[in-house]
Amino acid sequence: DGGITQSPKYLFRKEGQNVTLSCEQNLNHDAMYWYRQDPGQGLRLIYYSQIVNDFQKGDIAEGYSVSREKKESFPLTVTSAQKNPTAFYLCASSYDEGMETQYFGPGTRLLVL
Amino acid sequence: QKEVEQDPGPLSVPEGAIVSLNCTYSNSAFQYFMWYRQYSRKGPELLMYTYSSGNKEDGRFTAQVDKSSKYISLFIRDSQPSDSATYLCAMSAGNMLTFGGGTRLMVKP
């Protein structure tokens, strides 16, 4: 069964803590993306990666970091520098960065304690 | 002004109605247009994909693109309660996607 998985479904962060959101895909897609969604707002791009060991900042990268050590995996770390991390985080993938059709995972809701 | 504008709704219609959802945009370089459906607390799923201008039909869904007016539409015929969701338009010039804010649709039985 091909698709994108994200874990956990819900994540709680304490003040000053770094947390990592997992994203895995078995679609053999080259490009992967992280978006943030706030209520009533569209998706905003945090980071994207076209190939393994390479990634670029999106529109709102400050306070976030990523890695792309494997084609299937693109974890996102929300660092303590991100002062307003409460949001719904969505991971997506596509065949390549030039391909317009992106497929999304089920999302992770991050809440601050 | 946002690059892609979408009325947030909510849009409430009775079951069986024809629904029209719309987006306007300002970037004339956009040539790929998509509609995503997002149920509450779920990831968006791709509904329709259109290249350049014209219409595309898939079952009860029809996507229209008017590049001269920088306006795209999604029509849903014979709407069902299961169509209740947020609909996001997205568009691209061939690289990154730019999303609208989404329109929340409620179809009442």
Side-chain angles (χ1 to χ4, degrees), chain B residues 21-107:
Chain B
L21 303 166
N22 311 295
C23 286
T24 58
Y25 62 94
S26 57
N27 187 348
S28 58
F30 288 148
Q31 50 184 336
Y32 303 93
F33 304 91
M34 282 134 280
W35 286 95
Y36 286 85
R37 177 175 62 195
Q38 186 177 24
Y39 291 114
S40 182
R41 302 179 191 277
K42 304 289 185 185
E45 59 178 314
L46 182 66
L47 269 181
M48 301 286 283
Y49 166 75
T50 310
Y51 170 71
S52 193
S53 286
N55 293 1
K56 185 173 183 179
E57 189 173 322
D58 184 2
R60 296 185 295 112
F61 299 90
T62 300
Q64 273 186 1
V65 175
D66 182 348
K67 290 187 71 180
S68 61
S69 302
K70 298 191 181 68
Y71 188 88
I72 69 170
S73 301
L74 177 70
F75 297 96
I76 307 174
R77 291 184 298 279
D78 188 25
S79 56
Q80 302 295 309
S82 59
D83 294 327
S84 297
T86 296
Y87 290 80
L88 300 161
C89 64
M91 43 199 81
S92 167
N95 38 45
M96 294 298 107
L97 288 183
T98 301
F99 286 85
T103 298
R104 186 178 165 214
L105 172 66
M106 296 188 295
V107 181

Side-chain angles (χ1 to χ4, degrees), chain A residues 55-72:
Chain A
F55 47 83
Q56 285 77 40
K57 293 181 179 180
D59 300 321
I60 55 165
E62 186 174 349
Y64 301 96
S65 66
V66 294
S67 63
R68 186 88 186 274
E69 297 177 1
K70 297 188 300 182
K71 185 175 183 177
E72 302 80 17

